[in-house]
Amino acid sequence: MRWALVKVCLAVTTMVVVAFAVPLGLVIKEMARDRAFSNAERTAAGLGPTLSITSNRDQLARALAAAQTGGEDRMSVYVPADGDNPEIRLGRLRVDADRLDGIRQARTADVPGGSVWLQPIGISTAKIAVVEVYVPESEVTNGVTTAWIVLAGVGIALIIGSVAVADRLGVRMVQPAQRLVGAAHELGDGRLGARVPEDGPSELRLAAVAFNSMADQVVQLLANERELAADLSHRLRTPLTVLRLNAASLGDGPAAEQTRTAVEQLEREVDTIIRTARDAKPQTAAAGPGAGCDAAEVIRERMDFWSALAEDEARKVRVAGIDRPVRIPVARGELAAAMDALLGNVFRHTPEGTAFAVDVHSGEDAVIVLVSDAGPGIADPEAAMARGAGSGSDGSTGLGLDIVRRLAESTGGDVRIGASVLGGTEVRIWVGTDQRRAVPHGRRGHRGRERRGLVSTFNRSRSLP
């Protein structure tokens, strides 16, 4: 497109320059010729008064010498014979006298080396003198070559300028198109964060807007699939956990054993579905301004759900920091899935009757969620944080803590595992609330982070039955 535009502009500008330059060059040549003969006409007319009052040869010679201009004896006078008056020839006549007789109108005639201006002047009723002014060819073309060179230079400059402008316009149109092509390839390769700057000509700008809208729709569709996987994780795994625990209390017998086997098989199938969806690693777009949820409300909702099972297993539960809104830049479904993964791990990996607590601390630029239990703890926290760790053991998919980690790192935060004050494991989720400090999902490790303005609400706690 760029070179096609340059070629079109080059052809059009060249035709315009030729269409104007050629006639203008001819006009300049004609103007130079007219100027030369106009000067010759004025010079010849200067002898008119002298010829009209005298025909004396000496007086005419003095007048001719005074009016002579330039070199080469350019002016000459011819007075035909009249009765007793002989013919007078003054100066160098370049036209034969026979041709001068009978001239009644001014005219030009070609002679070797240039042209002559023949100006008839009546000196009596029957006698007409002729003043001849020689105009050399150099004077006829004086300044024409220079004017043509200047005209040619202006034409070439116009052509070069138009080509440069066309090239810049071509770049302005081609670059947005190239960016659109590149973004389309990136999107096709699975890099869903590819977007196109909405600039350039109006048509390409509209194309960029349409492409970005399409990419957002694709991201939204994949996000919906991810939400569906998250729903499976806490809508299926949670009831299955309850079924497994209830099946364990059925005692012995063929029916009880079959029930436990069916529950285990169903858990394995659900784990396979969840693992397949999570391993796809779909890319998501960053949450925009104003996006997110109330962490306190989500945690209250999930704790209300798990409190029934906690009551059945005689677990003491403590919740703190959820009595006032705590906004975080995380989608509601993602936070719910992360909380279900952590609480599900507590019920799955600690004995019945083990107490646990959930504490929320809000600060100036971060929110900390602590999930603590009084269980046996985790022997290798680093290995537990690895994606897929523990997969296949105890019916675990090994993805729960990875879900929590990716949620925290999407806001610029992190996840740490340590010892809790209850004697077991404490999972600390650091969620950044300043989106300018957010980092990609793949970045790990935020040691040395400045923790300023953190306000603990641990003492304002409530207990669930």
Side-chain angles (χ1 to χ4, degrees):
M1 180 186 297
R2 176 181 177 183
W3 294 116
L5 184 61
V6 169
K7 291 176 182 178
V8 170
C9 189
L10 177 62
V12 172
T13 307
T14 302
M15 289 189 293
V16 172
V17 168
V18 170
F20 281 93
V22 172
L24 187 58
L26 297 177
V27 168
I28 291 173
K29 181 179 180 181
E30 189 64 26
M31 289 176 61
R33 179 181 176 87
D34 291 343
R35 182 180 65 247
F37 284 104
S38 295
N39 292 336
E41 182 181 5
R42 287 194 299 270
T43 302
L47 288 176
T50 302
L51 289 170
S52 63
I53 62 177
T54 183
S55 296
N56 183 273
R57 184 182 185 88
D58 294 336
Q59 292 179 351
L60 291 177
R62 288 195 294 270
L64 179 62
Q68 193 75 254
T69 58
E72 304 178 11
D73 197 16
R74 293 188 180 185
M75 292 184 63
S76 59
V77 176
Y78 170 74
V79 180
D82 181 19
D84 296 334
N85 296 321
E87 179 183 270
I88 300 175
R89 296 188 182 186
L90 297 174
R92 178 186 174 186
L93 287 174
R94 290 174 172 80
V95 179
D96 295 339
D98 296 340
R99 295 175 57 189
L100 297 178
D101 290 334
I103 293 179
R104 295 294 183 268
Q105 293 180 349
R107 68 182 64 176
T108 61
D110 295 330
V111 295
S115 303
V116 292
W117 177 261
L118 302 176
Q119 179 70 46
I121 300 175
I123 57 177
S124 67
T125 56
K127 192 175 181 180
I128 296 178
V130 177
V131 179
E132 179 191 276
V133 181
Y134 173 64
V135 181
E137 188 66 28
S138 60
E139 188 173 331
V140 174
T141 60
N142 182 31
V144 174
T145 302
T146 303
W148 282 2
I149 293 175
V150 172
L151 190 62
V154 172
I156 293 174
L158 287 175
I159 293 175
I160 295 175
S162 66
V163 169
V165 172
D167 182 69
R168 292 299 89 197
L169 291 176
V171 169
R172 185 170 177 265
M173 290 190 297
V174 168
Q175 284 183 344
Q178 290 176 340
R179 288 195 294 265
L180 184 61
V181 171
H185 284 304
E186 291 182 5
L187 188 64
D189 292 339
R191 294 190 288 272
L192 302 182
R195 295 296 184 273
V196 182
E198 297 174 2
D199 55 11
S202 58
E203 294 80 2
L204 292 176
R205 187 165 59 250
L206 292 175
V209 171
F211 176 86
N212 292 339
S213 177
M214 178 194 68
D216 292 338
Q217 291 293 331
V218 171
V219 170
Q220 185 60 42
L221 290 175
L222 292 179
N224 292 339
E225 292 184 2
R226 190 180 70 254
E227 291 295 334
L228 179 60
D231 288 344
L232 288 175
S233 67
H234 69 75
R235 291 182 184 180
L236 296 180
R237 287 290 304 277
T238 299
L240 284 175
T241 301
V242 177
L243 287 176
R244 182 177 60 81
L245 295 174
N246 290 339
S249 63
L250 293 178
D252 299 329
E257 187 62 30
Q258 290 177 1
T259 301
R260 284 190 286 269
T261 301
V263 171
E264 291 177 359
Q265 181 179 359
L266 184 58
E267 274 191 312
R268 286 194 298 270
E269 296 297 332
V270 171
D271 291 344
T272 301
I273 295 173
I274 296 174
R275 188 179 298 109
T276 302
R278 293 296 184 186
D279 288 341
K281 296 182 181 180
Q283 301 180 22
T284 61
C293 67
D294 182 1
E297 180 184 357
V298 175
I299 293 175
R300 280 198 304 269
E301 176 185 322
R302 301 320 302 159
M303 290 302 296
D304 289 340
F305 174 84
W306 288 96
S307 62
L309 185 58
E311 184 179 1
D312 291 342
E313 295 188 357
R315 296 176 183 267
K316 293 183 179 180
V317 181
R318 185 182 70 246
V319 183
I322 60 174
D323 54 343
R324 60 190 180 96
V326 179
R327 297 292 302 181
I328 60 174
V330 175
R332 182 185 184 90
E334 293 184 358
L335 179 59
M339 292 305 301
D340 283 339
L342 292 177
L343 296 176
N345 284 343
V346 172
F347 281 87
R348 181 182 295 275
H349 299 295
T350 60
E352 293 186 10
T354 301
F356 66 94
V358 177
D359 303 313
V360 179
H361 306 269
S362 60
E364 179 181 347
D365 59 357
V367 172
I368 294 179
V369 179
L370 300 175
V371 179
S372 309
D373 63 60
I378 297 177
D380 191 350
E382 292 293 333
M385 286 298 300
R387 182 179 175 86
S391 178
S393 62
D394 299 329
S396 173
T397 62
L399 299 173
L401 289 177
D402 185 70
I403 295 172
V404 179
R405 178 188 61 78
R406 288 191 292 114
L407 177 144
E409 291 184 353
S410 68
T411 66
D414 60 11
V415 176
R416 301 286 178 84
I417 299 178
S420 72
V421 294
L422 299 179
T425 302
E426 177 185 87
V427 179
R428 189 216 65 184
I429 309 172
W430 180 281
V431 179
T433 57
D434 185 358
Q435 286 300 281
R436 294 173 298 180
R437 301 176 62 179
V439 298
H441 282 287
R443 180 176 174 183
R444 294 177 180 239
H446 301 274
R447 299 182 182 276
R449 177 187 301 277
E450 180 184 3
R451 296 169 173 82
R452 64 177 187 270
L454 188 64
V455 178
S456 174
T457 56
F458 180 80
N459 292 328
R460 296 194 298 270
S461 64
R462 67 183 180 91
S463 297
L464 294 176

